[in-house]
Amino acid sequence: MRIPTLLLRQLMRLVLLLACVSSLTFVLMSNSPIDPVQAYIGADMLRVGEEQRAAIAEHWGLNEPPVQRFFTWLSAIVRGDFGTSIIYRQPVVEVIQEKFMSSISLLMIAWLLSGFIGFAAGVAAAMKRGTWLDRIIQWYCYALSSTPTFWAGVLLLLLFTVWLPIFPVGLGTPIGVRADEVSWLDRAYHMILPAITLSLVGVSHIALHTREKLIEVLSSEYITFARAKGLSGLQLVWRHGLRNILLPAITLQFASFSELFGGAVLIEQVFSYPGLGQATVEASTRGDVPLLMGIVLFSTCFVFVGNSIAEWTYRIIDPRIKEWYKHEA
């Protein structure tokens, strides 16, 4: 199958996915009990009359039928206009850009940490199968899998900010410091604990899957032959096992983008981190449909691109997949 054909097929899948996700999100928001006008007015609700409420609803197009609002929004999206956020009163694109720049470092550090730690833990557990190290790693992974992300965040916050005041309580920058005076060290210091907490989301899956895959590889006949030639330990894994266990690890690593986005929503709430996750919660709880729809489209594209990168990486790592593509062509 030729590369242009693959790209066209992936583009069609992305368009279909965006259509389904945006439609479902709009239906859920339209049937939400949250009153966008009341959320927009906030504490001044008692001082705003019916005429003013009607004027606000007309200004934001909230007095139109849901179907008409959806197609109005869709036609604006086709023209490249994502609308204006009701909460921030800024263009949706600017809000997403600002919030994403705060979240991208957090997401990437957590993504890299979960991948490296999970892969290394899985390899160590498989090489020391049946020992105390293997049992500790398995217990650790099972405990992580059954632990809600927000609860782990609260525990780490309690441990490292209350009992051991090593890290700040929350936020993305120090309190009382002007934005132009905040250094990258201040931002990194405030990001360490949220990034570590968020990385816990993907460690257990990658570690357990890598462990099982490496145990299967180490039980194969060609590994027995390699051991007969004198290879052992890391040298054996590096030469004969790495390629076989790397592909499933990459699969889980790129598939964890969606989990990271879901975890970021909770973690940014726990640590009051001003990123895209916190903006998602605010948009959903305050009826900011343009902002929420823009975030949904952006996050869907982000996750889809991550999965596509994994798919193209397979072709480089695994020669069997390259031969399959040649055969399909």
Side-chain angles (χ1 to χ4, degrees):
M1 190 177 296
R2 297 179 179 177
I3 293 180
T5 305
L6 289 174
L7 293 177
L8 180 60
R9 180 174 295 182
Q10 286 187 330
L11 181 60
M12 293 175 61
R13 287 169 51 195
L14 176 60
V15 171
L16 181 61
L17 179 62
L18 291 176
C20 294
V21 169
S22 60
S23 301
L24 180 60
T25 304
F26 199 90
V27 169
L28 292 176
M29 288 299 296
S30 298
N31 291 277
S32 172
I34 299 174
D35 184 3
V37 177
Q38 183 175 350
Y40 176 81
I41 297 172
D44 296 329
M45 189 69 189
L46 297 177
R47 290 183 290 179
V48 176
E50 292 297 329
E51 294 183 358
Q52 291 175 301
R53 287 174 56 91
I56 294 173
E58 183 179 359
H59 174 75
W60 294 107
L62 300 174
N63 57 344
E64 300 175 354
V67 176
Q68 183 177 348
R69 278 189 286 136
F70 177 76
F71 282 104
T72 301
W73 171 83
L74 185 61
S75 61
I77 289 293
V78 173
R79 298 193 304 269
D81 181 13
F82 284 78
T84 303
S85 170
I86 299 177
I87 300 174
Y88 297 94
R89 304 179 190 181
Q90 297 177 2
V92 169
V93 175
E94 294 182 5
V95 176
I96 293 177
Q97 181 179 3
E98 178 184 353
K99 298 298 181 180
F100 180 70
M101 293 307 296
S102 299
S103 294
I104 185 60
S105 301
L106 177 65
L107 290 172
M108 294 309 298
I109 291 175
W111 184 71
L112 292 174
L113 282 176
S114 63
F116 285 119
I117 295 175
F119 187 76
V123 171
M127 294 179 62
K128 299 295 183 180
R129 181 184 181 186
T131 63
W132 62 269
L133 180 61
D134 181 27
R135 289 192 291 270
I136 289 177
I137 291 176
Q138 287 190 75
W139 177 85
Y140 174 76
C141 292
Y142 289 136
L144 283 182
S145 299
S146 58
T147 301
T149 307
F150 70 90
W151 190 68
V154 172
L155 288 181
L156 292 178
L157 195 63
L158 182 64
L159 177 61
F160 292 107
T161 62
V162 180
W163 296 343
L164 299 174
I166 300 175
F167 299 108
V169 176
L171 302 177
T173 56
I175 299 176
V177 180
R178 292 169 49 184
D180 56 351
E181 297 178 354
V182 177
S183 65
W184 67 270
L185 287 175
D186 294 329
R187 298 182 186 276
Y189 179 56
H190 281 256
M191 188 174 53
I192 292 176
L193 195 57
I196 292 176
T197 308
L198 186 57
S199 67
L200 299 179
V201 175
V203 168
S204 58
H205 302 292
I206 297 176
L208 292 174
H209 196 83
T210 301
R211 175 187 179 274
E212 294 299 323
K213 190 66 178 178
L214 184 56
I215 289 176
E216 179 183 343
V217 171
L218 293 177
S219 302
S220 59
E221 294 182 357
Y222 70 91
I223 293 294
T224 304
F225 179 73
R227 282 174 173 164
K229 294 195 304 181
L231 295 179
S232 62
L234 288 175
Q235 187 180 18
L236 179 66
V237 174
W238 179 263
R239 286 192 178 184
H240 300 283
L242 187 61
R243 176 165 290 191
N244 292 286
I245 63 177
L246 192 60
L247 186 60
I250 289 178
T251 305
L252 293 176
Q253 179 69 355
F254 280 94
S256 65
F257 275 166
S258 57
E259 295 181 3
L260 281 178
F261 260 100
V265 173
L266 300 175
I267 292 302
E268 290 183 5
Q269 284 296 111
V270 172
F271 291 93
S272 299
Y273 193 85
L276 200 61
Q278 192 176 57
T280 304
V281 174
E282 291 181 351
S284 58
T285 56
R286 297 180 62 180
D288 193 343
V289 176
L291 179 58
L292 182 62
M293 297 291 288
I295 294 175
V296 167
L297 293 180
F298 176 80
S299 59
T300 302
C301 292
F302 189 80
V303 173
F304 186 87
V305 169
N307 294 333
S308 299
I309 293 174
E311 182 178 343
W312 286 96
T313 306
Y314 302 158
R315 302 182 63 187
I316 300 174
I317 296 177
D318 195 338
R320 294 172 297 179
I321 297 180
K322 288 194 290 187
E323 290 299 326
W324 182 85
Y325 276 110
K326 290 179 181 179
H327 177 71
E328 288 293 316

